[in-house]
Amino acid sequence: MRHRSTRALQRPAQNVFGAATLLFAVASILMLFSAHGPQGFGSQAWVGLVLLVQIAVALRWFFGPLPTRRDFIAFAIFGDLGLSSVLVLYEPFGALIGCSLFAMTGALCTYFLSQRLLIAHLLWCAAFIGFTTIRGCFDSTEDVASVLAAGLVVLAAVTGVPLLAHIAWTAIGRDARRSLVDPLTGLLNRRGLEDAAVELLARVRHRGHCVVVLVIDIDRFKQVNDHYGHDSGDEVIVLISDRLAALFERNGVVARTGGEEFVVVFTSPIDSVHHRIGEVGHTLHRPDDRIPVTVSVGASIISQPADLWDAAPTIVTRATRAADSLMYRAKYDGGNRTASSHL
């Protein structure tokens, strides 16, 4: 849902699941008037209560913000347990037909939740469909062959289709993630940095922190390649990447944007920002390395970003360009130093 190619699908996806939840509600209403539906005041009252919750959930899908992962998990649990608690009150054959509604929860698990949660959902569905099929076999209103055939068809549709869709979706998602990652270092590339930086800024927008963009370039890297060879040069790049990733693991994103150039976007309280910037050179240069290298760093500090959140991609681009110019200034001054300014 965060990948740029799927952002246009966020609102249609919410509308689809809202419509699906309304489908649940309509089915619940119709079954209240069906001979196969719940009998007795207690059963009908419970179905009515679940119906009200279904309508509230549908409104949340239609008019609420993009759900978080917790929201998706809550929707999946409600879909499975709510539907099961209603279907167990139906006559067996009507309940067996109603089990097809598990497919919508399966779609939600397939596209928005983890493999483990999908498997848990499929196991629950298989167990409930098996239980309902056995109930139907002992019910005198339908012949055993019809019940078994219906049970097999519903089981295949509810469990088989989401499983195959998950396999395909996982492959597509893996390719999408690879398009955002530098293959040598495992860091983000320039394209991935933009998405990650916007997400980082969104998480800290209410904390009052400043935002810093660093452009880091390894000094005299061509000499490293010429003297030690390109394989050793790649080892240096990977080593620098690992140290940067560890340094900004908690409050920043790191990308490799060129051969020996890196960009870091991180957040920090204003009183410690210069200390954090100064840590970069000391962390990356270690005299006891097999190939010790130094770096030139350009730092662009956005001290008051509160008015710039709505233009996050633009401000990150501007700050990166400014930090890039500062990095070249540091390099022209001899390297192994940092130049910074406030944007």
Side-chain angles (χ1 to χ4, degrees), residues 228 239 243 281-294 336:
Y228 295 98
L239 182 62
R243 289 174 180 172
H282 299 300
T283 300
L284 300 185
H285 173 65
R286 299 183 185 178
D288 57 344
D289 285 342
R290 186 175 75 86
I291 307 176
V293 296
T294 60
N336 192 22

Side-chain angles (χ1 to χ4, degrees), residues 162-177:
L163 190 60
L164 291 174
H166 177 74
I167 294 171
W169 187 247
T170 300
I172 294 171
R174 188 180 299 116
D175 286 344
R177 287 188 292 273

Side-chain angles (χ1 to χ4, degrees), residues 192-237:
L193 174 67
E194 181 181 322
D195 286 353
V198 172
E199 184 181 348
L200 173 69
L201 268 58
R203 291 203 306 266
V204 300
R205 63 179 301 173
H206 299 301
R207 296 182 187 174
H209 289 187
C210 65
V211 177
V212 183
V213 177
L214 304 178
V215 175
I216 303 163
D217 192 86
I218 302 174
D219 295 328
R220 293 173 287 278
F221 186 72
K222 184 177 184 301
Q223 296 178 17
V224 173
N225 279 331
D226 292 343
H227 185 74
Y228 295 98
H230 289 278
D231 288 343
S232 294
D234 287 347
E235 291 177 8
V236 170
I237 289 175

Side-chain angles (χ1 to χ4, degrees), residues 114-128:
S114 67
Q115 185 176 5
R116 289 183 178 181
L117 291 173
L118 174 64
I119 292 174
H121 161 75
L122 295 179
L123 290 175
W124 176 270
C125 292
F128 189 83

Side-chain angles (χ1 to χ4, degrees), residues 8-38:
L9 298 176
Q10 291 176 1
R11 177 49 59 183
Q14 287 186 249
N15 290 338
V16 166
F17 281 106
T21 309
L22 283 182
L23 175 64
F24 276 59
V26 170
S28 298
I29 293 172
L30 292 175
M31 288 303 292
L32 287 173
F33 300 96
S34 169
H36 296 283

Side-chain angles (χ1 to χ4, degrees), residues 205 304-310:
R205 63 179 301 173
Q304 300 292 334
D307 298 331
L308 305 173
W309 296 116
D310 293 336

